[in-house]
Amino acid sequence: TTEIYTLSLHDALPILLGMISTQKKIAPVAAILLLASIIGFFNYQIMLDFYAEQFVFPKSIRSADYAVITTRDDTFKTSDGVILGADIHKPVGLDKAPTILIRIPFNNTLRNRLRSDIIGRFWAKRGYAVVVQGTRGRYRSNGEFYPAIYEAQDGREALEWLQKQSWFNGQLAMWGGSAFGHTQWAVSGLEGLSPDVHAIQIVSTDYYSTFHPGGAFALESALYWALISPPDADRSTSIEEIKAGANGWPLIEADNRGLQNVKFFDDWVSHQNRDDYWLQIDGINRAQNIDAPILLFAGWFDPFLPTMLRDFKTLISENNNEKAQESRLIIGPYGHAREIEIGGVDVNETYRIASLEPVLRWFDHWLADDPQGASAGPKVKIYVMGENIWRNENEWPLARTVYTPYYLSTSGTLSLSPAAEEMHVFEYSYDPNNPVLTNGGAMLGPRSGMEQQTPPENRSDILWFQSDVLDADMEVTGPISAILHIETDRTNTDFTVKLVDVFADGRAYNITDGIIRQNYNPGIPTEITIELSATSYLFKKGHRIRVDVSSSNFPRFDRNSNTGQNPAYEMNPIVAHQKLFVSQNHRSQIIFPVIPR
């Protein structure tokens, strides 16, 4: 039952070099495997199992009990004639087993087979049957590739197919992140079919709000996805392609400028309201209706975080199912499936390992006959950036939070006291053809995360407010909002807020940000509220807190043309003249969730 594979040097080199680049500590093992590939033959399965046991999963995970047989010829035909193919890893000696279903939207490459086989075989050796099935147009499945649209239909039929398999014991878990995390939400709450337990990473029930945050469009995230997943096959992209796509008008042709026309990008741009298109993807009240517990794994610099936090709140406080209320939340120092630096420092928190580590215990807790005391883990586990520690919590947001307003002052400072009675008006002009450029943030792609910021005084279209030097550490953990009193001379425009940590040596790093796009009555003062993405960050003694106010953060968000016309097709943007009011009666402020220490 052992499969023997011959890997050419051409195939082996990029895989093994990739292993070395992502985990330096396995370089000796990679070198040995590379030598084996040069010599000729090596046992593919033994290599995968050794790698998983030594480097992917922690030693605290329970030991393996089974040999594994892997097959790659399991397919079924959907009701509309699409063939979906799957790899199946089964524990030898078990006639029936609980099953883990993974539906992946990736190419059928050696690299992807290696990754899925490593994970699938690891779980199969511990008593689970593991099904890795390609979604439409990807892996070994045919049909049209289009993210998220077909997953409710195909997922239901995949579950019906699974029920008929002789080795399936009726207990089902699902695992996956991003697009293949969405395949889980798409089949949640199906009567008689839905999984018993989920582990969902870096994705939510709300694609619409993720791609249209605050009414703007998450341009870099959407464009990055379109460039790496065009219809034919996944590919790599570059910063140059992203810039080429983003820089230009109209917005809807950004994919064409970067690579080629990608239908789902055009649809995401043009469906600016929560209409039937988004209903196909997001469904209705999935987090409220699901009848199974979920382990949610998120990142502080992932664009899905705000909507994942709303899902978690719904699971705990609005879902009436007792098992769903037992869901768990982990938030780490990550972008979208990638590590970040914190204040220019590599904190050595590997995403792949951290996201896999709790999953087996989570599944064992709910499904295994002999879980060996596997627990569900803490209700909430967060990574406090700046302090750079993991911490267990009981809820989200934290019950001990002290919501503390810091007021924007007439002198350009941040203060615990409101401004004096006198009115002060800060003014700037926002030119869509000369936007404030993105430097870090919560995006898909390699430019996400915490980056050193350029001095705001270099631009006249950024208003910045800075606190005094902190005389003690200050922890900010939870949702953050900014209340601004503004005025514009345009009927539709944007306002942005960025939270920045200014180090004692003058270096400055972005912590979180937000945007709002809406209609205005020109010349009429208006109070607006901008929701920033939640964070957990320790501003250290000797640092300063800075808040930047502007009207663009491009290409994290698309540029508002200020014309009030359809942003997807606008070709002739105009300048907006913006005002920010600060006074006793116009208390522009940012509200921090301060955690007493």
Side-chain angles (χ1 to χ4, degrees):
T1 63
T2 301
E3 296 172 311
I4 303 295
Y5 287 75
T6 302
L7 293 184
S8 70
L9 186 61
H10 176 269
D11 287 331
L13 267 173
I15 297 165
L16 299 176
L17 291 176
M19 290 179 179
I20 293 171
S21 68
T22 55
Q23 295 187 55
K24 296 179 178 62
K25 66 181 181 180
I26 71 157
V29 176
I32 293 171
L33 298 179
L34 180 58
L35 177 61
S37 70
I38 294 172
I39 293 171
F41 298 93
F42 67 89
N43 189 313
Y44 175 79
Q45 293 182 345
I46 291 176
M47 181 272 289
L48 294 183
D49 294 346
F50 176 79
Y51 175 64
E53 299 289 343
Q54 296 298 317
F55 302 108
V56 176
F57 292 87
K59 299 298 188 291
S60 58
I61 295 293
R62 63 181 172 88
S63 59
D65 296 318
Y66 299 92
V68 178
I69 184 169
T70 296
T71 59
R72 302 190 191 278
D73 57 355
D74 287 86
T75 62
F76 80 92
K77 185 178 291 187
T78 65
S79 57
D80 60 346
V82 173
I83 296 176
L84 302 180
D87 299 337
I88 300 182
H89 310 279
K90 290 183 290 188
V92 176
L94 284 181
D95 293 333
K96 291 182 179 292
T99 297
I100 301 172
L101 174 62
I102 308 168
R103 305 193 63 244
I104 60 172
F106 305 129
N107 294 345
N108 183 25
T109 64
L110 179 59
R111 181 183 180 88
N112 286 336
R113 287 200 305 275
L114 275 170
R115 294 195 297 180
S116 66
D117 285 358
I118 284 171
I119 296 169
R121 289 182 59 83
F122 183 90
W123 288 331
K125 289 174 67 177
R126 287 155 177 83
Y128 290 92
V130 181
V131 178
V132 181
Q133 181 186 78
T135 60
R136 288 190 181 215
R138 289 295 189 261
Y139 208 52
R140 293 191 296 105
S141 299
N142 62 22
E144 176 194 21
F145 172 75
Y146 191 110
I149 286 289
Y150 299 108
E151 303 318 326
Q153 172 190 332
D154 289 351
R156 173 189 286 274
E157 295 185 19
L159 295 181
E160 292 171 345
W161 166 81
L162 188 60
Q163 299 283 335
K164 302 172 185 176
Q165 304 310 301
S166 61
W167 38 263
F168 178 56
N169 77 345
Q171 294 178 295
L172 178 62
M174 287 189 74
W175 174 83
S178 193
F180 67 112
H182 173 266
T183 66
Q184 300 183 58
W185 282 119
V187 298
S188 62
L190 295 177
E191 187 173 352
L193 288 175
S194 60
D196 300 286
V197 60
H198 298 263
I200 299 178
Q201 307 165 36
I202 53 174
V203 77
S204 73
T205 63
D206 193 351
Y207 269 47
Y208 169 73
S209 294
T210 300
F211 285 102
H212 290 270
F217 182 63
L219 174 56
E220 180 143 342
S221 292
L223 183 58
Y224 175 79
W225 194 333
L227 295 179
I228 66 169
S229 295
D232 294 338
D234 293 335
R235 60 186 293 274
S236 60
T237 188
S238 65
I239 301 301
E240 289 70 27
E241 281 188 345
I242 294 171
K243 289 181 177 179
N247 291 324
W249 304 90
L251 174 64
I252 200 166
E253 292 183 3
D255 53 336
N256 306 63
R257 292 188 293 268
L259 177 68
Q260 66 183 70
N261 187 64
V262 179
K263 186 176 186 301
F264 66 80
F265 177 86
D266 293 350
D267 288 339
W268 291 351
V269 172
S270 57
H271 289 270
Q272 296 156 31
N273 299 311
R274 195 187 295 274
D275 55 16
D276 288 343
Y277 170 79
W278 294 107
L279 182 63
Q280 283 183 279
I281 294 173
D282 292 336
I284 300 175
N285 298 329
R286 282 174 172 161
Q288 186 172 336
N289 296 328
I290 195 170
D291 56 1
I294 306 177
L295 175 64
L296 292 171
F297 191 94
W300 291 122
F301 285 90
D302 176 51
F304 283 98
L305 176 65
T307 48
M308 289 187 73
L309 292 174
R310 289 204 291 269
D311 286 340
F312 183 70
K313 178 182 178 182
T314 300
L315 288 165
I316 300 305
S317 61
E318 299 175 26
N319 189 309
N320 294 323
N321 183 274
E322 292 182 359
K323 289 185 176 180
Q325 293 173 7
E326 290 297 315
S327 295
R328 297 292 190 263
L329 173 66
I330 301 173
I331 315 175
Y334 307 112
H336 194 76
R338 63 183 298 270
E339 296 81 21
I340 64 167
E341 292 184 345
I342 298 177
V345 176
D346 181 358
V347 295
N348 195 29
E349 290 289 338
T350 305
Y351 175 85
R352 299 293 178 189
I353 294 176
S355 62
L356 285 169
E357 189 273 335
V359 174
L360 181 65
R361 285 193 291 268
W362 175 249
F363 289 163
D364 281 353
H365 177 74
W366 292 102
L367 299 182
D369 293 331
D370 182 18
Q372 300 177 14
S375 72
K379 195 75 174 179
V380 174
K381 182 178 180 180
I382 61 173
Y383 190 90
V384 184
M385 298 182 292
E387 190 171 15
N388 299 341
I389 62 168
W390 287 98
R391 192 171 70 207
N392 296 340
E393 297 289 350
N394 297 315
E395 70 284 310
W396 182 270
L398 310 189
R400 63 188 183 279
T401 303
V402 179
Y403 291 97
T404 306
Y406 271 66
Y407 297 94
L408 282 56
S409 77
T410 57
S411 60
T413 62
L414 276 179
S415 172
L416 288 168
S417 301
E421 184 67 36
E422 295 79 11
M423 171 76 75
H424 187 86
V425 182
F426 296 90
E427 299 185 55
Y428 65 93
S429 297
Y430 156 53
D431 181 356
N433 284 317
N434 184 28
V436 176
L437 298 180
T438 295
N439 189 14
M443 303 169 289
L444 303 186
R447 298 205 293 179
S448 65
M450 186 182 296
E451 298 291 341
Q452 189 168 346
Q453 303 297 291
T454 55
E457 58 265 31
N458 290 351
R459 294 191 62 110
S460 61
D461 54 356
I462 300 176
L463 307 177
W464 55 285
F465 302 83
Q466 188 166 268
S467 74
D468 293 334
V469 173
L470 297 177
D471 57 11
D473 290 350
M474 175 176 160
E475 181 186 332
V476 172
T477 295
I480 301 172
S481 59
I483 300 172
L484 304 180
H485 294 263
I486 58 87
E487 181 185 308
T488 180
D489 64 346
R490 300 303 174 193
T491 58
N492 188 286
T493 192
D494 293 352
F495 287 92
T496 63
V497 172
K498 181 187 290 185
L499 177 62
V500 178
D501 180 13
V502 181
F503 285 39
D505 61 7
R507 290 178 298 137
Y509 292 88
N510 58 298
I511 307 303
T512 183
D513 56 42
I515 191 169
I516 189 169
R517 173 174 299 174
Q518 65 180 44
N519 293 327
Y520 295 94
N521 293 317
I524 303 298
T526 305
E527 180 183 284
I528 61 173
T529 299
I530 301 177
E531 302 295 339
L532 285 70
S533 183
T535 192
S536 180
Y537 190 82
L538 185 70
F539 292 91
K540 292 184 177 180
K541 178 181 177 180
H543 290 209
R544 297 175 186 263
I545 302 171
R546 195 178 84 207
V547 173
D548 295 348
V549 177
S550 189
S551 289
S552 53
N553 182 354
F554 173 80
R556 167 155 159 61
F557 308 111
D558 70 317
R559 297 165 290 179
N560 194 321
S561 66
N562 299 320
T563 65
Q565 302 302 310
N566 189 331
Y569 300 98
E570 180 59 64
M571 292 286 291
N572 300 297
I574 56 178
V575 174
H577 301 96
Q578 321 287 50
K579 295 180 180 180
L580 173 68
F581 301 107
V582 174
S583 74
Q584 181 69 27
N585 294 325
H586 296 81
R587 296 186 177 185
S588 294
Q589 61 192 269
I590 184 166
I591 302 174
F592 292 126
V594 176
I595 307 302
R597 298 175 68 87

